PDB file of all heavy atoms in Angstrom:
ATOM      1  N   VAL E 245      95.963  12.920 -44.993  1.00 81.00           N
ATOM      2  CA  VAL E 245      96.147  12.230 -46.283  1.00 81.00           C
ATOM      3  C   VAL E 245      97.621  12.340 -46.659  1.00 81.00           C
ATOM      4  O   VAL E 245      98.207  11.326 -47.177  1.00 81.00           O
ATOM      5  CB  VAL E 245      95.217  12.852 -47.361  1.00 81.00           C
ATOM      6  CG1 VAL E 245      95.584  12.263 -48.732  1.00 81.00           C
ATOM      7  CG2 VAL E 245      93.787  12.545 -47.012  1.00 81.00           C
ATOM      8  N   THR E 246      98.212  13.432 -46.464  1.00 80.00           N
ATOM      9  CA  THR E 246      99.633  13.624 -46.819  1.00 80.00           C
ATOM     10  C   THR E 246     100.500  12.696 -46.058  1.00 80.00           C
ATOM     11  O   THR E 246     101.388  12.054 -46.623  1.00 80.00           O
ATOM     12  CB  THR E 246     100.077  15.110 -46.567  1.00 80.00           C
ATOM     13  OG1 THR E 246      99.305  16.001 -47.351  1.00 80.00           O
ATOM     14  CG2 THR E 246     101.537  15.286 -46.841  1.00 80.00           C
ATOM     15  N   GLU E 247     100.233  12.524 -44.769  1.00 79.00           N
ATOM     16  CA  GLU E 247     101.062  11.593 -43.961  1.00 79.00           C
ATOM     17  C   GLU E 247     100.890  10.175 -44.407  1.00 79.00           C
ATOM     18  O   GLU E 247     101.844   9.422 -44.434  1.00 79.00           O
ATOM     19  CB  GLU E 247     100.655  11.747 -42.512  1.00 79.00           C
ATOM     20  CG  GLU E 247     101.072  13.056 -41.871  1.00 79.00           C
ATOM     21  CD  GLU E 247     100.473  13.289 -40.512  1.00 79.00           C
ATOM     22  OE1 GLU E 247      99.435  12.675 -40.174  1.00 79.00           O
ATOM     23  OE2 GLU E 247     101.034  14.103 -39.760  1.00 79.00           O
ATOM     24  N   LEU E 248      99.662   9.768 -44.761  1.00 82.00           N
ATOM     25  CA  LEU E 248      99.407   8.421 -45.193  1.00 82.00           C
ATOM     26  C   LEU E 248     100.146   8.133 -46.499  1.00 82.00           C
ATOM     27  O   LEU E 248     100.722   7.071 -46.750  1.00 82.00           O
ATOM     28  CB  LEU E 248      97.962   8.149 -45.351  1.00 82.00           C
ATOM     29  CG  LEU E 248      97.131   8.217 -44.047  1.00 82.00           C
ATOM     30  CD1 LEU E 248      95.653   7.928 -44.320  1.00 82.00           C
ATOM     31  CD2 LEU E 248      97.685   7.218 -43.052  1.00 82.00           C
ATOM     32  N   LYS E 249     100.168   9.123 -47.435  1.00 84.00           N
ATOM     33  CA  LYS E 249     100.914   9.019 -48.680  1.00 84.00           C
ATOM     34  C   LYS E 249     102.456   8.837 -48.344  1.00 84.00           C
ATOM     35  O   LYS E 249     103.114   8.102 -49.060  1.00 84.00           O
ATOM     36  CB  LYS E 249     100.686  10.190 -49.557  1.00 84.00           C
ATOM     37  CG  LYS E 249      99.272  10.212 -50.220  1.00 84.00           C
ATOM     38  CD  LYS E 249      99.144  11.416 -51.096  1.00 84.00           C
ATOM     39  CE  LYS E 249      97.797  11.410 -51.798  1.00 84.00           C
ATOM     40  NZ  LYS E 249      97.567  12.621 -52.662  1.00 84.00           N
ATOM     41  N   GLN E 250     102.936   9.558 -47.381  1.00 85.00           N
ATOM     42  CA  GLN E 250     104.340   9.412 -47.011  1.00 85.00           C
ATOM     43  C   GLN E 250     104.585   7.996 -46.495  1.00 85.00           C
ATOM     44  O   GLN E 250     105.635   7.418 -46.762  1.00 85.00           O
ATOM     45  CB  GLN E 250     104.666  10.430 -45.928  1.00 85.00           C
ATOM     46  CG  GLN E 250     104.716  11.870 -46.353  1.00 85.00           C
ATOM     47  CD  GLN E 250     104.796  12.878 -45.231  1.00 85.00           C
ATOM     48  OE1 GLN E 250     104.734  12.506 -44.057  1.00 85.00           O
ATOM     49  NE2 GLN E 250     105.050  14.153 -45.547  1.00 85.00           N
ATOM     50  N   GLY E 251     103.653   7.460 -45.802  1.00 87.00           N
ATOM     51  CA  GLY E 251     103.801   6.092 -45.319  1.00 87.00           C
ATOM     52  C   GLY E 251     103.855   5.073 -46.384  1.00 87.00           C
ATOM     53  O   GLY E 251     104.624   4.103 -46.376  1.00 87.00           O
ATOM     54  N   LEU E 252     103.093   5.314 -47.468  1.00 90.00           N
ATOM     55  CA  LEU E 252     103.121   4.403 -48.624  1.00 90.00           C
ATOM     56  C   LEU E 252     104.462   4.436 -49.326  1.00 90.00           C
ATOM     57  O   LEU E 252     104.814   3.516 -50.093  1.00 90.00           O
ATOM     58  CB  LEU E 252     102.042   4.743 -49.640  1.00 90.00           C
ATOM     59  CG  LEU E 252     100.576   4.521 -49.098  1.00 90.00           C
ATOM     60  CD1 LEU E 252      99.590   5.059 -50.124  1.00 90.00           C
ATOM     61  CD2 LEU E 252     100.318   3.077 -48.796  1.00 90.00           C
ATOM     62  N   GLY E 253     105.188   5.537 -49.106  1.00 89.00           N
ATOM     63  CA  GLY E 253     106.491   5.641 -49.746  1.00 89.00           C
ATOM     64  C   GLY E 253     107.663   5.085 -48.991  1.00 89.00           C
ATOM     65  O   GLY E 253     108.831   5.233 -49.403  1.00 89.00           O
ATOM     66  N   THR E 254     107.426   4.512 -47.828  1.00 92.00           N
ATOM     67  CA  THR E 254     108.524   3.894 -47.044  1.00 92.00           C
ATOM     68  C   THR E 254     109.000   2.603 -47.714  1.00 92.00           C
ATOM     69  O   THR E 254     108.319   2.007 -48.555  1.00 92.00           O
ATOM     70  CB  THR E 254     108.057   3.546 -45.605  1.00 92.00           C
ATOM     71  OG1 THR E 254     107.042   2.566 -45.681  1.00 92.00           O
ATOM     72  CG2 THR E 254     107.479   4.755 -44.936  1.00 92.00           C
ATOM     73  N   PRO E 255     110.217   2.147 -47.390  1.00 93.00           N
ATOM     74  CA  PRO E 255     110.688   0.876 -47.960  1.00 93.00           C
ATOM     75  C   PRO E 255     109.731  -0.296 -47.697  1.00 93.00           C
ATOM     76  O   PRO E 255     109.575  -1.134 -48.592  1.00 93.00           O
ATOM     77  CB  PRO E 255     112.027   0.692 -47.215  1.00 93.00           C
ATOM     78  CG  PRO E 255     112.488   2.014 -46.925  1.00 93.00           C
ATOM     79  CD  PRO E 255     111.262   2.816 -46.589  1.00 93.00           C
ATOM     80  N   ILE E 256     109.057  -0.302 -46.562  1.00 94.00           N
ATOM     81  CA  ILE E 256     108.075  -1.375 -46.340  1.00 94.00           C
ATOM     82  C   ILE E 256     106.824  -1.192 -47.158  1.00 94.00           C
ATOM     83  O   ILE E 256     106.113  -2.137 -47.431  1.00 94.00           O
ATOM     84  CB  ILE E 256     107.795  -1.541 -44.829  1.00 94.00           C
ATOM     85  CG1 ILE E 256     109.020  -2.183 -44.120  1.00 94.00           C
ATOM     86  CG2 ILE E 256     106.532  -2.291 -44.543  1.00 94.00           C
ATOM     87  CD1 ILE E 256     108.804  -2.407 -42.640  1.00 94.00           C
ATOM     88  N   GLY E 257     106.572   0.051 -47.496  1.00 94.00           N
ATOM     89  CA  GLY E 257     105.427   0.313 -48.450  1.00 94.00           C
ATOM     90  C   GLY E 257     104.095   0.633 -47.809  1.00 94.00           C
ATOM     91  O   GLY E 257     103.101   0.613 -48.430  1.00 94.00           O
ATOM     92  N   ARG E 258     104.155   0.972 -46.514  1.00 94.00           N
ATOM     93  CA  ARG E 258     102.928   1.289 -45.820  1.00 94.00           C
ATOM     94  C   ARG E 258     103.247   2.102 -44.551  1.00 94.00           C
ATOM     95  O   ARG E 258     104.372   2.029 -44.090  1.00 94.00           O
ATOM     96  CB  ARG E 258     102.134   0.047 -45.403  1.00 94.00           C
ATOM     97  CG  ARG E 258     102.929  -0.859 -44.447  1.00 94.00           C
ATOM     98  CD  ARG E 258     102.053  -1.968 -43.898  1.00 94.00           C
ATOM     99  NE  ARG E 258     102.809  -2.932 -43.029  1.00 94.00           N
ATOM    100  CZ  ARG E 258     103.092  -2.646 -41.736  1.00 94.00           C
ATOM    101  NH1 ARG E 258     102.722  -1.532 -41.149  1.00 94.00           N
ATOM    102  NH2 ARG E 258     103.835  -3.535 -41.059  1.00 94.00           N
ATOM    103  N   PRO E 259     102.297   2.874 -44.023  1.00 94.00           N
ATOM    104  CA  PRO E 259     102.507   3.475 -42.735  1.00 94.00           C
ATOM    105  C   PRO E 259     102.515   2.384 -41.614  1.00 94.00           C
ATOM    106  O   PRO E 259     102.000   1.259 -41.815  1.00 94.00           O
ATOM    107  CB  PRO E 259     101.339   4.415 -42.557  1.00 94.00           C
ATOM    108  CG  PRO E 259     100.291   3.874 -43.411  1.00 94.00           C
ATOM    109  CD  PRO E 259     100.984   3.173 -44.591  1.00 94.00           C
ATOM    110  N   GLY E 260     103.106   2.685 -40.478  1.00 95.00           N
ATOM    111  CA  GLY E 260     103.103   1.793 -39.364  1.00 95.00           C
ATOM    112  C   GLY E 260     101.785   1.796 -38.640  1.00 95.00           C
ATOM    113  O   GLY E 260     100.967   2.670 -38.823  1.00 95.00           O
ATOM    114  N   ALA E 261     101.588   0.829 -37.729  1.00 96.00           N
ATOM    115  CA  ALA E 261     100.430   0.742 -36.879  1.00 96.00           C
ATOM    116  C   ALA E 261     100.790   1.127 -35.447  1.00 96.00           C
ATOM    117  O   ALA E 261     101.880   0.834 -35.045  1.00 96.00           O
ATOM    118  CB  ALA E 261      99.813  -0.692 -36.920  1.00 96.00           C
ATOM    119  N   PRO E 262      99.827   1.712 -34.720  1.00 97.00           N
ATOM    120  CA  PRO E 262     100.148   2.024 -33.293  1.00 97.00           C
ATOM    121  C   PRO E 262     100.653   0.853 -32.483  1.00 97.00           C
ATOM    122  O   PRO E 262     101.566   1.011 -31.683  1.00 97.00           O
ATOM    123  CB  PRO E 262      98.805   2.557 -32.804  1.00 97.00           C
ATOM    124  CG  PRO E 262      98.117   3.121 -33.983  1.00 97.00           C
ATOM    125  CD  PRO E 262      98.508   2.170 -35.104  1.00 97.00           C
ATOM    126  N   ASP E 263     100.120  -0.330 -32.736  1.00 98.00           N
ATOM    127  CA  ASP E 263     100.565  -1.485 -31.936  1.00 98.00           C
ATOM    128  C   ASP E 263     102.028  -1.913 -32.294  1.00 98.00           C
ATOM    129  O   ASP E 263     102.713  -2.507 -31.457  1.00 98.00           O
ATOM    130  CB  ASP E 263      99.648  -2.660 -32.174  1.00 98.00           C
ATOM    131  CG  ASP E 263      99.836  -3.731 -31.128  1.00 98.00           C
ATOM    132  OD1 ASP E 263      99.637  -3.394 -29.909  1.00 98.00           O
ATOM    133  OD2 ASP E 263     100.183  -4.906 -31.476  1.00 98.00           O
ATOM    134  N   GLU E 264     102.488  -1.548 -33.478  1.00 98.00           N
ATOM    135  CA  GLU E 264     103.917  -1.831 -33.827  1.00 98.00           C
ATOM    136  C   GLU E 264     104.833  -0.886 -33.023  1.00 98.00           C
ATOM    137  O   GLU E 264     105.942  -1.296 -32.626  1.00 98.00           O
ATOM    138  CB  GLU E 264     104.137  -1.728 -35.310  1.00 98.00           C
ATOM    139  CG  GLU E 264     103.395  -2.747 -36.111  1.00 98.00           C
ATOM    140  CD  GLU E 264     103.504  -2.542 -37.584  1.00 98.00           C
ATOM    141  OE1 GLU E 264     103.193  -1.465 -38.128  1.00 98.00           O
ATOM    142  OE2 GLU E 264     103.869  -3.536 -38.321  1.00 98.00           O
ATOM    143  N   VAL E 265     104.451   0.298 -32.812  1.00 98.00           N
ATOM    144  CA  VAL E 265     105.198   1.184 -31.942  1.00 98.00           C
ATOM    145  C   VAL E 265     105.091   0.748 -30.473  1.00 98.00           C
ATOM    146  O   VAL E 265     106.070   0.705 -29.717  1.00 98.00           O
ATOM    147  CB  VAL E 265     104.715   2.637 -32.049  1.00 98.00           C
ATOM    148  CG1 VAL E 265     105.573   3.555 -31.243  1.00 98.00           C
ATOM    149  CG2 VAL E 265     104.757   3.085 -33.519  1.00 98.00           C
ATOM    150  N   ALA E 266     103.890   0.357 -30.071  1.00 98.00           N
ATOM    151  CA  ALA E 266     103.650  -0.076 -28.711  1.00 98.00           C
ATOM    152  C   ALA E 266     104.444  -1.294 -28.328  1.00 98.00           C
ATOM    153  O   ALA E 266     104.950  -1.448 -27.200  1.00 98.00           O
ATOM    154  CB  ALA E 266     102.155  -0.384 -28.514  1.00 98.00           C
ATOM    155  N   ALA E 267     104.706  -2.197 -29.307  1.00 98.00           N
ATOM    156  CA  ALA E 267     105.535  -3.368 -29.059  1.00 98.00           C
ATOM    157  C   ALA E 267     106.933  -2.956 -28.676  1.00 98.00           C
ATOM    158  O   ALA E 267     107.548  -3.556 -27.766  1.00 98.00           O
ATOM    159  CB  ALA E 267     105.542  -4.293 -30.293  1.00 98.00           C
ATOM    160  N   ALA E 268     107.485  -1.969 -29.364  1.00 98.00           N
ATOM    161  CA  ALA E 268     108.851  -1.514 -29.069  1.00 98.00           C
ATOM    162  C   ALA E 268     108.884  -0.811 -27.726  1.00 98.00           C
ATOM    163  O   ALA E 268     109.820  -1.076 -26.903  1.00 98.00           O
ATOM    164  CB  ALA E 268     109.305  -0.485 -30.158  1.00 98.00           C
ATOM    165  N   ILE E 269     107.851  -0.045 -27.414  1.00 98.00           N
ATOM    166  CA  ILE E 269     107.803   0.643 -26.094  1.00 98.00           C
ATOM    167  C   ILE E 269     107.704  -0.407 -24.942  1.00 98.00           C
ATOM    168  O   ILE E 269     108.415  -0.294 -23.970  1.00 98.00           O
ATOM    169  CB  ILE E 269     106.580   1.575 -26.030  1.00 98.00           C
ATOM    170  CG1 ILE E 269     106.700   2.740 -26.998  1.00 98.00           C
ATOM    171  CG2 ILE E 269     106.365   2.152 -24.625  1.00 98.00           C
ATOM    172  CD1 ILE E 269     105.480   3.510 -27.241  1.00 98.00           C
ATOM    173  N   ALA E 270     106.820  -1.398 -25.152  1.00 98.00           N
ATOM    174  CA  ALA E 270     106.639  -2.393 -24.096  1.00 98.00           C
ATOM    175  C   ALA E 270     107.900  -3.188 -23.814  1.00 98.00           C
ATOM    176  O   ALA E 270     108.172  -3.479 -22.674  1.00 98.00           O
ATOM    177  CB  ALA E 270     105.504  -3.347 -24.495  1.00 98.00           C
ATOM    178  N   PHE E 271     108.659  -3.508 -24.854  1.00 98.00           N
ATOM    179  CA  PHE E 271     109.929  -4.153 -24.632  1.00 98.00           C
ATOM    180  C   PHE E 271     110.878  -3.314 -23.784  1.00 98.00           C
ATOM    181  O   PHE E 271     111.462  -3.808 -22.814  1.00 98.00           O
ATOM    182  CB  PHE E 271     110.632  -4.479 -26.013  1.00 98.00           C
ATOM    183  CG  PHE E 271     112.083  -4.882 -25.794  1.00 98.00           C
ATOM    184  CD1 PHE E 271     112.391  -6.060 -25.185  1.00 98.00           C
ATOM    185  CD2 PHE E 271     113.095  -4.080 -26.230  1.00 98.00           C
ATOM    186  CE1 PHE E 271     113.755  -6.438 -24.987  1.00 98.00           C
ATOM    187  CE2 PHE E 271     114.407  -4.416 -26.007  1.00 98.00           C
ATOM    188  CZ  PHE E 271     114.747  -5.591 -25.409  1.00 98.00           C
TER     189      PHE E 271
END
Side-chain angles (χ1 to χ4, degrees):
V245 172
T246 299
E247 289 169 340
L248 296 180
K249 287 181 178 178
Q250 290 170 352
L252 294 174
T254 65
I256 286 184
R258 62 171 176 83
D263 196 57
E264 291 175 309
V265 182
I269 296 169
F271 166 67

